Structure formats: structure tokens, C-alpha cells
Amino acid sequence: ETGVTQTPRHLVMGMTNKKSLKCEQHLGHNAMYWYKQSAKKPLELMFVYNFKEQTENNSVPSRFSPECPNSSHLFLHLHTLQPEDSALYLCASSQERGVYYNEQFFGPGTRLTVL
Amino acid sequence: KNQVEQSPQSLIILEGKNCTLQCNYTVSPFSNLRWYKQDTGRGPVSLTIMTFSENTKSNGRYTATLDADTKQSSLHITASQLSDSASYICVVSPILTGGGNKLTFGTGTQLKVEL
């Protein structure tokens, strides 16, 4: 266990559904991230939050909407997704201090399938 | 453009054998380099992390090396076990003025250990 949990672990949704992914970190970190991992591609950074403020939006379509109510919780709200959005969605957290700053700890991921 | 390239793309070895995975990067200047292990359907887990001034780091049967002059790193696995079957991802963190969270990920080497 890395101290980062994600729910649900698996999600199947239609293109007209609305769903949310949840991430929680128990490490006292102050930065949280959403990544998308598609087959045979490097992890793609989607969003970054530092101290609850969004500091990075990597040109992500508006059908993905992040929310960070506090430093320990991160959500990804999904609506009107496309089949090509099917992927493993990973949450990570890090502490932005020290020599090994930005060492990110990943959750187990949510395997999303869009029908 | 910052890039991280890994080789080989995939590798099959017999249990008990050693293997070496390669990582070449163009990220410059860089802060640190990490190797992650990712089991199928799971999030990446950190194996080693090295700053630019370190040239080797061990974690059990895993030993990472770094040559900052040639911008190359390797991950050596000794006496492989079936549980080593996973994707191994090289990740480089740049030095960004004012801090920052951007990492550059490789596509990974898929390792399979067989009996």
C-alpha cells in the first residue's frame, strides 16, 4: 500500500452517464495529481493541485472536471465521455519540499471502460 | 522537447537470471531520476530515486545506475523472480524555476519472468 487509495477500482459507463472517481491520500502531502494511462503510452499528466489550488491543466477536454476540496481528497468528475477515454486513471500525491521533492506516490488506479 | 526513451520495449527471461533495463533521457537540467515498477492493472510503485549527483542506488535485488554526462540510466535486476514480471518505468524530474511538478515518463519495459 502506498498510502493513496482510489475508488472505484473498475468502472464501466455509457457515453451519456455521469460518474466520479475519488482519490484520497493518507500521507500528509500537499500536491495531488490525475494521470491517464493508455496502452503502450507514457503516463499523461491531466491535472495538478497544490494546496487545493489547480496549478496545471494539461489541455484536458472539459468532459473531465477535477475537484480538490482539501489537500487529502481529489475527485475527477466524468460526463459525456468517448470510447477513446477508456484507460487506467491514476491518482498520485507528493510533498513539495526537500531533495527528493516531487517524489510521487501513486494509487492503484481506476480502470475505466466507456461503451 | 524533454524525452525519456526506454529499451528494450519488452523482455522475457528465465527465473533466476539477471537482466538490465536501459533508459536514455534528454531532460536537462534535471533534478532526479526514478524507476517505478508497475504490476498489471496497478499503480506504479517507486523502486529507486537518484539525484543528479548520485550514480548508483540499490533496493534489494534492484540496482539503478545513473550517468548524468551521457544522460543514461539502467536498472539491473538480480536473480529474477516470477513476481518481478511487470512494467518498469523510468521517470525524470526536471529542475524548474519556482518549483513545479512536471515529470517526464518513459513508455516502460515490459518484463516477463518465466519458469
Side-chain angles (χ1 to χ4, degrees):
Chain A
E1 291 297 329
T2 61
V4 181
T5 58
Q6 290 187 243
T7 54
R9 294 294 313 280
H10 301 272
L11 178 62
V12 179
M13 58 187 290
M15 290 191 285
T16 58
N17 292 157
K18 290 185 180 180
K19 296 286 184 182
S20 295
L21 310 185
K22 179 183 176 183
C23 175
E24 183 174 0
Q25 58 97 358
H26 311 274
L27 301 168
H29 290 166
N30 50 38
M32 295 188 77
Y33 314 76
W34 279 118
Y35 286 91
K36 176 184 179 183
Q37 187 176 34
S38 304
K40 300 192 187 304
K41 289 186 177 180
L43 270 73
E44 300 172 48
L45 180 65
M46 299 175 72
F47 302 103
V48 181
Y49 279 82
N50 277 291
F51 295 97
K52 303 188 299 176
E53 298 297 321
Q54 187 181 125
T55 56
E56 186 86 26
N57 178 337
N58 209 23
S59 302
V60 180
S62 59
R63 57 186 184 268
F64 295 91
S65 174
E67 179 189 1
C68 188
N70 54 61
S71 293
S72 299
H73 293 85
L74 185 65
F75 295 89
L76 188 63
H77 304 299
L78 316 171
H79 64 98
T80 58
L81 293 190
Q82 304 298 313
E84 60 264 29
D85 296 323
S86 299
L88 182 68
Y89 288 84
L90 292 162
C91 173
S93 70
S94 69
Q95 187 67 24
E96 294 306 294
R97 295 288 184 272
V99 174
Y100 294 131
Y101 88 100
N102 203 13
E103 181 173 10
Q104 296 183 15
F105 293 79
F106 287 85
T110 294
R111 172 65 63 185
L112 174 67
T113 302
V114 182
L115 301 176
Chain B
K1 180 182 176 183
N2 290 335
Q3 285 189 311
V4 175
E5 295 185 353
Q6 293 186 241
S7 61
Q9 195 171 23
S10 62
L11 181 62
I12 301 174
I13 61 173
L14 295 176
E15 187 181 28
K17 298 296 186 183
N18 304 334
C19 67
T20 301
L21 314 180
Q22 301 290 343
C23 172
N24 296 335
Y25 61 92
T26 61
V27 178
S28 183
F30 90 101
S31 171
N32 56 68
L33 182 147
R34 324 100 187 271
W35 284 92
Y36 282 89
K37 178 187 178 188
Q38 185 176 19
D39 293 314
T40 302
R42 309 285 298 184
V45 176
S46 180
L47 292 175
T48 64
I49 180 169
M50 294 179 287
T51 67
F52 63 89
S53 61
E54 297 174 297
N55 54 28
T56 188
K57 184 70 71 79
S58 291
N59 178 0
R61 294 180 297 102
Y62 301 101
T63 299
T65 63
L66 173 64
D67 186 334
D69 291 331
T70 61
K71 296 185 171 58
Q72 295 180 324
S73 176
S74 65
L75 180 69
H76 187 73
I77 304 174
T78 304
S80 61
Q81 300 176 358
L82 295 178
S83 59
D84 292 332
S85 297
S87 178
Y88 292 84
I89 305 172
C90 177
V91 184
V92 181
S93 177
I95 293 175
L96 298 175
T97 56
N101 315 89
K102 288 197 173 182
L103 304 179
T104 302
F105 291 81
T107 54
T109 291
Q110 188 67 45
L111 174 66
K112 185 174 183 182
V113 181
E114 294 182 337
L115 289 171

